[in-house]
């Protein structure tokens, strides 16, 4: 009898919790629907949060961490919206070509990249240098393990940065707004080979045939406009490209652990990292034979090489003086430009110390 009473109480408690959570679930469902149906409004919210992070003055003590925290929150909010859109409209995102296990690890990797900088800053603030370097090493080793597992074990191909590309939000809006039957089936289909639009046999004939192309679902073996074909595996990397990715993934760790051998601002660290980046790009070769996402990632990595101009010791010995003189000249010669240049001059030392590290790109 006691066991039956306990089971009844447990069932009652579960039902009560379910009733309490029902409004929250309904609110979340309404928000998810809003994210997909109104991408412009969602983008404005994300931009507002990101702008708030820039309005926190970097020269006030402690405000740099708060500014980075606001920036981290804005990035996590944008990532959450991308996740919602990708989940509800898979066809709008390049991630649909990856198997579910790949996608889960990519989302985890994206979250780590969003929060790593703010964790490093707060670790340094509360636990000084030992806490900072412990946090840096922990994050970089975790990221390297995840990337290595995706590239070498799961053969996910060339990973972009961030590893979860943003979905086409307006495409998702168009897919989500397509009229459907009550059971979720679309009004019309488009043949994958012929491109001909065909009315669904279950659809009402009230929609004119001339307007059916507005209600077409992408070809899919399952029902609903948001269903997609079974995700195909990405193109496998050649051995030379795998070596290149190995260099790219291990470069941050090589830089960090080299600091225990050389000084933090040693030219040897700078040259080792630059050599590993250049060798990785050389092994990847040209971009003419690559697909669009892979081509964009290689071009991004080439552009990131310019950041070596802002990394110590090159920045301290060459770039710093030229850059500051140039900005001060603009501030003194062009009216009202000082309103932008002066805060920028205050931010540059903080930015250089935080974002110009080799392991942040």
């Amino acid at each position: 009898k006691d066991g039956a009473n306990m089971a009844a109480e447990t069932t009652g408690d579960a039902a009560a919790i379910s009733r309490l959570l029902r409004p929250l679930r309904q609110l979340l469902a309404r928000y998810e629907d809003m994210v997909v149906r109104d991408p412009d409004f969602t983008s404005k919210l994300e931009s507002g949060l990101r702008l708030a992070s820039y309005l926190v003055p970097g020269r006030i003590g402690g405000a740099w961490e708060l500014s980075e925290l606001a920036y981290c929150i804005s990035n996590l909010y944008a990532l959450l919206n991308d996740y919602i859109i990708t989940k509800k409209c898979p066809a709008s995102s390049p991630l649909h070509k990856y198997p579910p296990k790949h996608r889960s690890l990519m989302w985890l990797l994206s979250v780590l990249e969003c929060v790593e900088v703010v964790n490093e800053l707060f670790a340094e603030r509360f636990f000084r240098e030992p806490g900072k370097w412990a946090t840096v090493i922990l994050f970089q080793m975790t990221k390297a393990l995840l990337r290595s597992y995706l590239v070498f074990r799961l053969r996910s191909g060339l990973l972009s940065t961030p590893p979860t590309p943003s979905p086409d939000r307006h495409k998702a809006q168009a897919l989500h707004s397509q009229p459907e039957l009550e059971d979720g089936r679309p009004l019309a289909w488009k043949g994958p080979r012929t491109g001909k639009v065909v009315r669904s046999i279950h659809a009402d004939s009230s929609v004119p045939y001339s307007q059916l192309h507005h209600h077409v679902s992408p070809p899919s073996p399952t029902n609903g406009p948001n269903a997609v074909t079974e995700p195909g595996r990405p193109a496998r990397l050649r051995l030379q490209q795998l070596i290149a990715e190995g260099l790219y993934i291990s470069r941050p760790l090589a830089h960090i652990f080299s600091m225990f051998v050389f000084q933090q601002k040693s030219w040897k660290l700078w040259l080792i990292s630059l050599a590993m980046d250049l060798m990785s790009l050389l092994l990847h070769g040209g971009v003419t034979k690559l697909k669009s996402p892979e081509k964009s990632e290689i071009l991004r990595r080439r552009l990131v090489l310019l950041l070596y101009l802002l990394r110590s010791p090159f920045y301290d010995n060459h770039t710093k003086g030229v850059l500051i003189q140039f900005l001060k000249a603009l501030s003194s010669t062009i009216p009202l430009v000082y309103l932008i240049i002066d805060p920028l001059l205050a931010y540059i030392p903080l930015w250089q110390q935080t974002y110009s590290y080799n392991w942040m790109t």
Side-chain angles (χ1 to χ4, degrees), residues 147 151-152 156-161 235-249 275-291 293-302:
R147 282 186 172 270
V151 172
F152 299 109
S156 297
L158 183 66
L159 293 181
S160 60
T161 302
R236 296 173 68 90
L237 297 178
R238 304 188 308 273
L239 177 61
Q240 182 174 320
Q241 293 175 304
L242 289 173
I243 297 174
E245 283 302 283
L247 288 170
Y248 179 77
I249 293 171
M276 294 182 73
D277 270 334
L278 289 174
M279 183 62 66
S280 174
L281 290 172
L282 288 174
L283 289 174
H284 273 299
V287 298
T288 54
K289 295 182 179 180
L290 297 177
K291 297 180 180 179
E294 289 82 3
K295 183 184 298 185
S296 299
E297 174 61 16
I298 294 299
L299 293 176
R300 187 200 67 83
R301 294 182 188 181
R302 291 178 180 177

Side-chain angles (χ1 to χ4, degrees), residues 102-311:
H102 297 218
R103 295 197 297 267
S104 298
L105 293 176
M106 289 177 178
W107 285 114
L108 175 59
L109 192 54
S110 294
V111 171
L112 290 176
E113 292 184 350
C114 284
V115 303
E116 61 177 338
V117 177
V118 71
N119 275 274
E120 176 187 336
L121 289 176
F122 278 99
E124 182 179 16
R125 185 171 186 83
F126 292 109
F127 304 104
R128 306 302 179 185
E129 286 292 308
K132 170 188 173 179
W133 293 114
T135 302
V136 169
I137 293 173
L138 177 62
F139 268 88
Q140 295 308 315
M141 289 188 69
T142 304
K143 288 171 55 180
L145 288 174
L146 288 175
R147 282 186 172 270
S148 298
Y149 187 72
L150 282 165
V151 172
F152 299 109
R153 179 66 177 178
L154 300 183
R155 297 301 177 97
S156 297
L158 183 66
L159 293 181
S160 60
T161 302
T164 52
S166 296
D168 187 336
R169 297 190 172 189
H170 290 92
K171 180 179 179 181
Q173 181 188 33
L175 289 172
H176 194 68
S177 61
Q178 289 173 358
E180 297 178 344
L181 301 175
E182 292 182 357
D183 59 0
R185 288 175 291 186
L187 294 178
W189 299 87
K190 184 175 182 179
R193 290 180 299 171
T194 63
K196 184 178 180 180
V197 177
V198 181
R199 185 192 308 273
S200 171
I201 60 174
H202 304 283
D204 190 357
S205 59
S206 59
V207 179
Y209 186 82
S210 60
Q211 298 182 14
L212 283 179
H213 68 280
H214 295 296
H215 312 314
V216 171
S217 170
S220 171
T222 59
N223 61 341
N226 300 331
V228 294
T229 55
E230 185 69 20
R233 298 188 66 85
R236 296 173 68 90
L237 297 178
R238 304 188 308 273
L239 177 61
Q240 182 174 320
Q241 293 175 304
L242 289 173
I243 297 174
E245 283 302 283
L247 288 170
Y248 179 77
I249 293 171
S250 61
R251 184 260 300 157
L253 290 176
H255 178 268
I256 293 172
F257 288 117
S258 295
M259 295 175 61
F260 294 101
V261 180
F262 310 107
Q263 295 181 356
Q264 184 172 344
K265 295 186 177 182
S266 170
W267 279 101
K268 295 179 181 179
L269 294 179
W270 191 85
L271 291 172
I272 289 172
S273 298
L274 179 60
M276 294 182 73
D277 270 334
L278 289 174
M279 183 62 66
S280 174
L281 290 172
L282 288 174
L283 289 174
H284 273 299
V287 298
T288 54
K289 295 182 179 180
L290 297 177
K291 297 180 180 179
S292 180
E294 289 82 3
K295 183 184 298 185
S296 299
E297 174 61 16
I298 294 299
L299 293 176
R300 187 200 67 83
R301 294 182 188 181
R302 291 178 180 177
L303 186 62
V304 163
L305 290 177
L306 294 175
L307 288 180
Y308 279 93
L309 300 177
L310 301 177
R311 290 171 177 157

